[in-house]
Amino acid sequence: LIGSESLIERLNHVAIAVPDLTAAVTFYRDVLGAEVSAPLDLPEHGVTTVFVKLANTNLELLASLGDGSPISKFIEKNPGGGLHHLCFEVPDLFQAIDKVSQEKIRVLGEAKTGAHGVPVVFMHPKDTFGCLIELEEGKS
Ligand code: CO
């Protein structure tokens, strides 16, 4: 019955903002030996992403793309990189947005298509105990 009552299901990924995507890929692929995807530019989000596939979840390496990228600001504050967000899978994103909004949890902007080609939304970290949380529809 796991998931039947819970708004959130699996941990889809843990995202890490990095100042140098090539160096981060080298670390995960060549030093740690993990399976690493090709870089994917997401101009709508101002990021380039690389996924590191693990047995039970994934890592999302995020580098800034273009002017005004949210990652540029993050890297200014955290020059070496750092934990950026967690992503949970939800069966129905719009239902999840309704539910959290009723509880006065702020969502950041509109749902947008994310790195997996499905809708995603972020919740305000000040409403989620200091951790930026992404909700992604469906399973991937
Ligand atoms: Co993400």
Side-chain angles (χ1 to χ4, degrees):
L1 285 174
I2 290 171
S4 65
E5 305 277 332
S6 179
L7 208 62
I8 56 171
E9 296 187 332
R10 295 190 320 153
L11 174 66
N12 184 277
H13 59 269
V14 175
I16 301 166
V18 301
D20 181 340
L21 196 54
T22 305
V25 165
T26 299
F27 172 66
Y28 281 102
R29 185 189 56 207
D30 301 339
V31 179
L32 297 181
E35 189 183 321
V36 169
S37 76
L40 178 66
D41 291 343
L42 297 174
E44 199 187 346
H45 295 271
V47 298
T48 301
T49 63
V50 163
F51 277 87
V52 181
K53 199 168 161 31
L54 303 176
N56 62 343
T57 190
N58 304 290
L59 304 180
E60 179 182 51
L61 305 177
L62 294 172
S64 64
L65 175 69
D67 295 332
S69 168
I71 300 304
S72 308
K73 281 186 208 154
F74 185 93
I75 294 295
E76 272 173 36
K77 291 184 200 150
N78 306 273
L83 181 60
H84 189 267
H85 66 265
L86 303 179
C87 177
F88 300 124
E89 295 172 0
V90 297
D92 181 331
L93 184 64
F94 293 96
Q95 188 181 52
I97 291 170
D98 273 355
K99 170 71 179 168
V100 301
S101 300
Q102 281 167 27
E103 303 297 332
K104 310 283 185 247
I105 308 297
R106 287 168 285 177
V107 296
L108 303 173
E110 303 276 302
K112 289 180 185 176
T113 299
H116 299 118
V118 295
V120 300
V121 79
F122 288 88
M123 292 187 279
H124 199 298
K126 285 191 176 151
D127 296 343
T128 55
F129 306 93
C131 183
L132 181 62
I133 294 174
E134 178 179 23
L135 300 175
E136 178 176 299
E137 184 160 293
K139 299 180 190 314
S140 46

